[in-house]
Amino acid sequence: MNAIVFDNSYARLPDRFFAPRPPTPVAAPCLIRLNLPLAAELGLDPAAPWGDIVAGNTVPPGAEPIAMAYAGHQFGHFSPQLGDGRAVLLGEIVTPGGARRDLHLKGSGRTAFSRGGDGRAALGPVLREYIVAEAMHALGIPTTRALAAVSTGEIVYRETEQPGAVLARIAASHIRVGTFQYFAARQDAEGLRLLADHAIARHTPDAAGAPNPYRAFFQSVMARQASLVAQWMNVGFIHGVMNTDNTAISGETIDYGPCAFLDAYEPMKVFSSIDHGARYAYANQPRIIQWNLARLAECLLLLIDEDVDAAIEQVKEDLATFGTRFETAYAEGLRRKLGLGAAEDGDLDLAENLLERMAESGADFTRTFRALCAAAEGDERPARACFTDPAAFDAWAIQWRARLARDSLAQTDHAPTDRAAAMRTANPAIIPRNHRIAAVIEAAVTGNDFAPFHSLVDALATPWTDQPDSPNILPPRDDERVTQTFCGT
Ligand code: AMP
Ligand code: MG
């Protein structure tokens, strides 16, 4: 068996950045799934005792488990101390390709940051994070990854008794906007500088050579987040709990709690049971990420310029570019979804016009866009069928066809086929639908049956392929519809 080679750069930061803490062993670890392609990519030995490692019953040599300190705005309210209350960073591995990756355990027991919590995770949320993180990855969207899920053989108490589980998570890092806020709240200028230098080295090495490295760092985090949220919007993803502690500096989607994908397109859709004010509704996400970035900017002011007023001017200038950055990325994604090549001025309006009609007709987001691929080849029936009022689609399709005819791609003989093929790489056939996730969790939790989980994870690995026979592609029937999702904490 090959040993895991660790190089724990975060654990070499000063003591106040974390609390050392081994995972707490569990009664009866049982490996549910090991992500073999990911293990291979990371250079990890699939034959290692992953059940015991992920459960925390074996701490591999070279690991230096720590609970990371962080703060965060939760639903707009600042908590100066959150931190890993039910997770540890086991250590960092360097992949055969030279990338540094955190190996993190979620649900691994109490830490110095647990407050009243039990430090554990229930099986349902662990499966949920595994499914959705890997689906996001297959969709090409930056995300933390799921390396493995393990059941603990222990019970955790939520509203009801639940089987316990641990998730092994891989991330470019677990540094959050809230990590910067932790040091800013303590007016720890040295800590902020060390953290920023560490984050720059890991995520934005080019910034180190910029005239103002910290401003360049901020701009790069902003660029990554603008692109990330645009990609979420393009697949109908609602993160659900975009607190600043759940916003990663790496630009990866992190912390899959009450997240959900839209079924019917509804711009102000909220699934999370605790998001009473609809703060994190689908259409609010660009605005919220900009707000979170402003919180990061506040932490960096003194690093950007000793003259705080001058620093404020600089970050204001940067934040003012967010709207355009986001919209450019979002519109580009929509153009690909509609099969359009070179940009034209009215493209965003054309896409938004379709979305309005979808909202009025209660059209399923994923199915409608996937059906457009067939429509591009001449078969409009599947697309029309998505609308309670098919005439609403017909009226839009007239404008769309006129736009397609002007498109550069339209000049070739193979245009419809080529366009449809390109659209099939922008409009997934399958997304992790809430009711399927719920069904998979139900089978695992009440029936100890993991076959539906495995088949859902497998189906989501190839989202660009039609899978007409899969039970996982259809929108929910009325009696299957999930209306609320939960943090599961
Ligand atoms: P989350 O909502 O999962 O992003 O977590 C917010 C904060 O609550 C983080 O500091 C978590 O570590 C902490 N937390 C969540 N669940 C638990 C738990 N079961 N035990 C201890 N801390 C928890
Ligand atoms: Mg979190």
Side-chain angles (χ1 to χ4, degrees), residues 84-121:
D84 287 331
R86 52 159 168 172
V88 292
L89 172 61
L90 213 47
E92 298 159 37
I93 48 184
V94 179
T95 71
R100 180 177 296 274
R101 290 287 178 269
D102 280 2
L103 171 51
H104 170 108
L105 304 179
K106 185 166 174 180
S108 53
R110 290 179 53 78
T111 74
F113 305 111
S114 297
R115 294 164 290 162
D118 61 2
R120 291 300 185 188

Side-chain angles (χ1 to χ4, degrees), residues 33-35 38-39 42 44 50 103 130 145-149 168 170:
R33 186 169 175 120
L34 174 66
N35 186 337
L38 178 58
L42 297 171
L44 296 173
W50 287 108
L103 171 51
Y130 194 119
R145 304 286 307 274
L147 176 66
I170 301 294

Side-chain angles (χ1 to χ4, degrees), residues 100-399:
R100 180 177 296 274
R101 290 287 178 269
D102 280 2
L103 171 51
H104 170 108
L105 304 179
K106 185 166 174 180
S108 53
R110 290 179 53 78
T111 74
F113 305 111
S114 297
R115 294 164 290 162
D118 61 2
R120 291 300 185 188
L123 177 60
V126 164
L127 297 183
R128 188 179 181 83
E129 175 154 352
Y130 194 119
I131 293 163
V132 186
E134 288 308 298
M136 291 293 263
H137 171 72
L139 290 166
I141 300 177
T143 176
T144 61
R145 304 286 307 274
L147 176 66
V150 161
S151 59
T152 60
E154 295 179 359
I155 295 293
V156 296
Y157 299 89
R158 297 295 180 257
E159 283 94 57
T160 55
E161 290 190 355
Q162 298 279 323
V166 183
L167 180 79
R169 180 161 80 180
I170 301 294
S173 86
H174 282 80
I175 303 169
R176 306 145 191 267
V177 169
T179 319
F180 284 86
Q181 290 181 295
Y182 180 86
F183 295 100
R186 286 159 182 75
Q187 300 184 332
D188 181 349
E190 192 211 35
L192 275 170
R193 185 180 298 274
L194 288 169
L195 178 64
D197 289 342
H198 178 89
I200 288 172
R202 283 178 79 166
H203 300 305
T204 321
D206 288 353
N212 188 330
Y214 302 109
R215 185 175 180 190
F217 167 65
F218 176 68
Q219 290 167 343
S220 79
V221 175
M222 188 171 71
R224 277 195 290 260
Q225 287 293 340
S227 155
L228 177 67
V229 175
Q231 292 177 77
W232 290 355
M233 301 297 284
N234 285 152
V235 296
F237 177 73
I238 308 170
H239 183 284
V241 60
M242 289 173 72
N243 294 333
T244 56
D245 53 305
N246 294 335
T247 300
I249 295 303
S250 66
E252 295 168 310
T253 313
I254 191 170
D255 275 5
Y256 294 91
C259 64
F261 280 73
L262 288 171
D263 291 307
Y265 175 66
E266 200 183 315
M268 283 309 286
K269 186 69 189 166
V270 171
F271 286 96
S272 170
S273 62
I274 56 170
D275 190 359
H276 305 297
R279 180 181 173 89
Y280 300 137
Y282 172 76
N284 281 349
Q285 297 183 115
R287 199 167 62 70
I288 288 293
I289 200 66
Q290 190 179 14
W291 191 88
N292 289 355
L293 289 164
R295 304 291 75 75
L296 174 63
E298 285 166 0
C299 301
L300 298 174
L301 288 177
L302 278 172
L303 294 174
I304 289 173
D305 201 313
E306 285 168 15
D307 174 352
V308 173
D309 291 333
I312 290 174
E313 282 315 307
Q314 295 179 58
V315 300
K316 266 190 175 166
E317 214 175 275
D318 291 339
L319 282 164
T321 66
F322 177 85
T324 311
R325 269 177 207 277
F326 167 77
E327 228 166 73
T328 306
Y330 176 63
E332 183 52 39
L334 285 171
R335 248 195 307 278
R336 291 186 56 227
K337 291 176 87 66
L338 297 186
L340 308 179
E344 259 188 34
D345 270 353
D347 289 348
L348 189 56
D349 290 341
L350 180 68
E352 284 179 345
N353 189 280
L354 173 65
L355 289 167
E356 277 163 31
R357 289 163 194 265
M358 286 165 61
E360 278 162 21
S361 235
D364 184 82
F365 185 89
T366 302
R367 264 181 107 75
T368 305
F369 280 105
R370 186 70 179 180
L372 283 186
C373 309
E377 285 180 304
D379 182 4
E380 295 196 345
R381 284 169 303 176
R384 297 186 83 236
C386 293
F387 289 75
T388 47
D389 173 16
F393 173 76
D394 297 339
W396 178 81
I398 292 170
Q399 308 170 49

